[in-house]
Amino acid sequence: MAGEAPTLDLTVDGAQLTEDLVNIESVSGEERVIADAVETALRGLPHLEVQRFGHTVVARTHQGRAERAVIAGHLDTVPVNDNLPARRDATRLHGLGSCDMKGGVAVALRIAAGLPETNRDLTFLFYDCEEVEAERNGLHLLSRSDPALLEADFAILMEPSDGIVEAGCQGSLRVDVTTRGERAHSARSWMGRNAIHAAGEVLARLTAYEPRRPVIDGLEYHEGLNAVFVSGGVAGNVLPDRCTVSVNHRFAPDRSVAEAETHVREVFDGFEVELRDAAPAAMPGLSVPAAAAFVEAVGGAVKPKFGWTDVARFSALGIPAVNFGPGDPHLAHKQDEFVPLDQVVSVERALRTWLGEDGVG
Amino acid sequence: MAGEAPTLDLTVDGAQLTEDLVNIESVSGEERVIADAVETALRGLPHLEVQRFGHTVVARTHQGRAERAVIAGHLDTVPVNDNLPARRDATRLHGLGSCDMKGGVAVALRIAAGLPETNRDLTFLFYDCEEVEAERNGLHLLSRSDPALLEADFAILMEPSDGIVEAGCQGSLRVDVTTRGERAHSARSWMGRNAIHAAGEVLARLTAYEPRRPVIDGLEYHEGLNAVFVSGGVAGNVLPDRCTVSVNHRFAPDRSVAEAETHVREVFDGFEVELRDAAPAAMPGLSVPAAAAFVEAVGGAVKPKFGWTDVARFSALGIPAVNFGPGDPHLAHKQDEFVPLDQVVSVERALRTWLGEDGVG
């Protein structure tokens, strides 16, 4: 029946809970059933204040701690690709969303249910539409409608990171670099100017480009400047009067979007450059006490995050954030994604340690 | 009534005959009515043997001359573009096909009707579907089905050439030059190889290319090597693994298609090159007596033809051929095309002189 959500038992082990979550189909835009199940399960816990916004569920402790941390995960998956229901073998849980990111959501739910008392107050966020356009992203919508709910000293996004802390993230912007020419019949090419030929210099600058590898908070980032599209041409017998190279710049978190844009315009000095979209980077913020304590608690291993993730939304709000979850990030969106069950266990153990399970405070 | 063709009076002056032809709509594929009119008019002339092939009309004299020349024109036009019926002012005839090429067809029909005795035997060809794909071209079809009908010492294609002889034509070929790379997420670009960047060297070679300008039979041709299309790209966050530059080479008539292809492959040595299409050049053939006599008769002015035309079909059959007709070739296919009436007169006069009107032989 459409209105009846499956029941989620948060006392089962992490592997079983991941399997149960995978078996609730939740392609982006269709998260109502899984959000209902999560909301219902959390409302049964007296130490949490639970609120619902669309298909986003927020659950907060109010222990009066000096610090507050966010633990967040998205509930949606990319489209079904003949990879449901879940299938478990001795070491892995296979199926849509197992890696990205129901393993992480299972850990977060187990922490929410199993640790009524922690050394930091916690805000759990389970949100929708992370896999689609930014305007539908539940975390984005919440940051606009109820930013106070996101207030915290630190945030953990439980995206797959192989169980190692990935700190900050690089920003991304895309520009179109356009060259202009003058049309002419290709049989009389000296009557015109070829815009595609003119783009050769654009590609030469890209080939010669030396990306920065700045070290920030001890982490080496690695920038990039790459053509991702090129197009030009009018007809098979016409000199083209326009050629556009779309260039994606990935920039380290020591630069703002504006600084990165200025840099790209310098690289293509003399050419027509139009900014098409941009997303800011996120500083790793590892010097913040809550972050430093987290890294220490999880064993000290930290990698820089190269790809853009929702951690940048927290960073934009002034909240240091890291990715930390079970699963190989390279398996995300693949038909045969899986999550190693030992990572589900080890990530949960690390979080419990950080949250003072062995002696709160 | 569908079966009834308008009557063409071949004794009216060239301007009037051009106007009458323009007013018989004959977009490519719909040449039945105009071909019927031309056939009927020519069948009334006892000095001509008339044959019909589809919508192509062949009319030949049999005077027993030592030489035979072809005079050819296509009957079709590009699509109607609010430019019918014909409109005449003091110096020009405006309307669809006036320039390309019913002015030339009018001259040919007046020669066919008005000069029963000439110093060379003549073969008149009025054919269909020149403005569309080569497989439908009436001249092409006739060269396959009845090549003997095209046998001649010389051919004149009455395409617009501003009333000046345009000799030979350059050939044309197109290759795709493809670069390969390896996909990677653009946030970790060092994991892949960017195929668009690799195309920079292809464009650099095109920019540095110095086209030949060979002189053949006293005419300076002008080659060209131009990118006409470029495309590459997978997604906004993916390093592209393939980029294709389509290159059009226009080559002078001292090179065969095979030689031109070899040359292009040398230019792009080290790259993947695929031949997509090719059309041979046509030698000007001005040293052939019939051609030399023609140039002399029309006053000696000759230009090289840069664009590809049906003269190449004659050249492929071993028949030297030139373009010679009234009208500015740059007006072809334009909505506001027109033909200067004085050129209709001067072109006819030149042909009459060459054909010995003032004393046959």
Side-chain angles (χ1 to χ4, degrees):
Chain A
M1 192 175 132
E4 199 165 338
T7 301
L8 275 180
D9 179 354
L10 304 187
T11 66
V12 300
D13 67 25
Q16 183 62 51
L17 186 53
T18 303
E19 181 170 350
D20 294 344
L21 288 165
V22 169
N23 284 334
I24 303 176
E25 190 179 315
S26 59
V27 175
S28 305
E30 297 161 19
E31 300 94 334
R32 192 186 52 74
V33 172
I34 197 168
D36 286 352
V38 166
E39 180 188 359
T40 302
L42 294 175
R43 283 202 189 276
L45 300 166
H47 65 284
L48 294 176
E49 180 193 8
V50 178
Q51 290 170 276
R52 172 79 176 249
F53 302 84
H55 300 327
T56 291
V57 180
V58 182
R60 288 181 297 163
T61 67
H62 296 289
Q63 308 170 71
R65 302 299 181 197
E67 280 183 9
R68 175 173 291 278
V70 165
I71 297 179
H74 63 83
L75 297 172
D76 61 320
T77 70
V78 294
V80 182
N81 188 10
D82 197 24
N83 49 4
L84 283 181
R87 180 175 58 80
R88 203 200 298 198
D89 63 26
T91 61
R92 299 167 171 176
L93 192 279
H94 305 259
L96 177 63
S98 54
C99 170
D100 185 14
M101 58 173 283
K102 290 181 174 176
V105 169
V107 170
L109 286 169
R110 278 180 51 82
I111 297 287
L115 285 186
E117 205 176 338
T118 50
N119 55 6
R120 299 167 168 83
D121 269 311
L122 296 177
T123 299
F124 296 93
L125 299 173
F126 301 99
Y127 61 102
D128 62 338
C129 286
E130 192 269 349
E131 301 290 7
V132 290
E133 57 272 30
E135 298 70 38
R136 296 168 64 192
N137 182 303
L139 183 59
H140 168 72
L141 294 175
L142 197 63
S143 74
R144 294 294 175 92
S145 67
D146 297 86
L149 281 178
L150 300 185
E151 279 172 14
D153 301 285
F154 183 55
I156 300 165
L157 199 62
M158 303 211 58
E159 289 274 3
S161 67
D162 250 341
I164 296 170
V165 176
E166 291 187 332
C169 78
Q170 296 200 130
S172 177
L173 65 78
R174 188 165 66 85
V175 294
D176 282 350
V177 184
T178 298
T179 55
R180 307 276 177 179
E182 198 179 332
R183 287 191 197 186
H185 195 292
S186 64
R188 294 177 290 276
S189 52
W190 56 96
M191 307 287 284
R193 282 180 300 114
N194 193 315
I196 295 177
H197 294 193
E201 171 65 16
V202 175
L203 301 187
R205 292 189 194 177
L206 284 166
T207 301
Y209 186 77
E210 297 274 1
R212 294 192 313 143
R213 300 174 72 158
V215 175
I216 304 164
D217 281 1
L219 301 176
E220 185 184 74
Y221 287 87
H222 195 152
E223 298 189 332
L225 188 70
N226 273 278
V228 288
F229 289 105
V230 62
S231 65
V234 176
N237 60 354
V238 174
L239 253 68
D241 57 353
R242 181 192 171 101
C243 180
T244 297
V245 184
S246 290
V247 176
N248 182 217
H249 180 41
R250 300 290 177 143
F251 52 96
D254 59 343
R255 280 194 175 159
S256 68
V257 166
E259 289 166 338
E261 182 186 349
T262 298
H263 171 66
V264 170
R265 288 186 182 279
E266 284 167 1
V267 170
F268 297 113
D269 185 38
F271 289 95
E272 184 181 327
V273 175
E274 186 180 3
L275 182 68
R276 304 300 297 204
D277 58 44
M283 286 294 284
L286 296 179
S287 53
V288 173
F294 179 72
V295 171
E296 186 187 330
V298 301
V302 186
K303 295 187 298 186
K305 182 69 177 175
F306 299 118
W308 194 91
T309 79
D310 270 336
V311 298
R313 298 189 197 280
F314 290 104
S315 189
L317 295 168
I319 305 168
V322 300
N323 291 287
F324 179 64
D328 179 347
H330 297 100
L331 292 178
H333 304 189
K334 299 213 169 172
Q335 185 184 24
D336 56 353
E337 68 175 300
F338 63 84
V339 63
L341 297 175
D342 60 348
Q343 287 192 4
V344 175
V345 172
S346 65
V347 164
E348 180 179 334
R349 189 183 309 125
L351 285 173
R352 285 177 174 267
T353 300
W354 174 60
L355 291 169
E357 184 187 38
D358 306 327
V360 171
Chain B
M1 194 175 130
E4 198 165 341
T7 302
L8 275 179
D9 179 354
L10 303 186
T11 66
V12 300
D13 66 25
Q16 184 63 50
L17 186 53
T18 304
E19 182 171 349
D20 295 344
L21 288 164
V22 169
N23 284 334
I24 304 175
E25 191 179 313
S26 58
V27 175
S28 306
E30 296 161 21
E31 300 95 334
R32 192 186 51 75
V33 172
I34 197 168
D36 286 352
V38 166
E39 180 187 359
T40 302
L42 294 175
R43 284 204 189 274
L45 300 166
H47 65 284
L48 293 176
E49 180 193 6
V50 178
Q51 290 170 276
R52 172 80 176 249
F53 302 84
H55 299 327
T56 291
V57 180
V58 183
R60 290 182 294 162
T61 68
H62 296 290
Q63 307 169 72
R65 303 297 182 197
E67 282 184 4
R68 174 173 291 278
V70 166
I71 296 178
H74 63 83
L75 297 172
D76 61 321
T77 70
V78 294
V80 181
N81 187 10
D82 196 24
N83 49 4
L84 282 181
R87 179 175 58 81
R88 205 200 297 199
D89 64 26
T91 60
R92 298 168 171 175
L93 191 280
H94 304 261
L96 178 63
S98 54
C99 170
D100 185 14
M101 57 174 284
K102 290 181 174 177
V105 169
V107 170
L109 285 170
R110 277 180 50 82
I111 297 287
L115 285 186
E117 206 175 335
T118 50
N119 56 5
R120 297 166 168 84
D121 269 311
L122 296 176
T123 298
F124 296 93
L125 299 173
F126 301 99
Y127 61 102
D128 63 338
C129 286
E130 193 270 350
E131 301 291 8
V132 290
E133 57 271 30
E135 298 70 39
R136 296 168 64 192
N137 182 301
L139 183 59
H140 168 72
L141 294 175
L142 197 64
S143 74
R144 294 294 174 92
S145 67
D146 297 84
L149 281 179
L150 300 185
E151 280 172 13
D153 302 285
F154 184 56
I156 299 166
L157 200 61
M158 303 210 57
E159 289 273 4
S161 68
D162 250 342
I164 296 169
V165 176
E166 291 187 333
C169 78
Q170 296 199 131
S172 178
L173 66 77
R174 189 165 65 85
V175 295
D176 283 350
V177 184
T178 298
T179 55
R180 307 275 177 180
E182 198 178 332
R183 287 191 197 186
H185 196 291
S186 63
R188 293 176 292 275
S189 52
W190 58 93
M191 306 288 283
R193 283 179 301 113
N194 193 314
I196 294 177
H197 295 194
E201 170 65 15
V202 175
L203 301 186
R205 293 189 194 177
L206 284 166
T207 301
Y209 186 77
E210 298 273 0
R212 293 193 313 142
R213 299 173 72 159
V215 176
I216 303 163
D217 281 0
L219 302 176
E220 186 184 74
Y221 287 86
H222 195 151
E223 298 189 330
L225 189 70
N226 273 277
V228 288
F229 289 106
V230 62
S231 66
V234 176
N237 61 354
V238 174
L239 254 68
D241 57 353
R242 181 191 171 101
C243 180
T244 297
V245 184
S246 290
V247 176
N248 182 218
H249 180 40
R250 299 291 177 142
F251 53 96
D254 60 342
R255 280 192 175 159
S256 67
V257 165
E259 289 165 339
E261 181 186 349
T262 297
H263 171 67
V264 170
R265 289 186 181 279
E266 284 167 2
V267 170
F268 297 113
D269 185 39
F271 289 95
E272 184 181 328
V273 175
E274 186 180 2
L275 182 68
R276 303 300 297 204
D277 58 44
M283 286 292 283
L286 296 180
S287 53
V288 173
F294 178 72
V295 171
E296 187 187 332
V298 301
V302 186
K303 296 186 299 188
K305 182 69 178 175
F306 299 119
W308 194 91
T309 79
D310 269 338
V311 299
R313 298 190 197 280
F314 291 103
S315 189
L317 295 167
I319 304 167
V322 299
N323 291 287
F324 180 64
D328 179 348
H330 298 100
L331 292 178
H333 303 189
K334 299 213 168 172
Q335 184 184 23
D336 57 354
E337 67 174 299
F338 63 84
V339 64
L341 296 175
D342 61 346
Q343 286 191 5
V344 175
V345 172
S346 65
V347 164
E348 180 179 334
R349 189 183 308 122
L351 285 174
R352 284 177 175 265
T353 300
W354 174 59
L355 291 169
E357 184 187 36
D358 307 324
V360 171

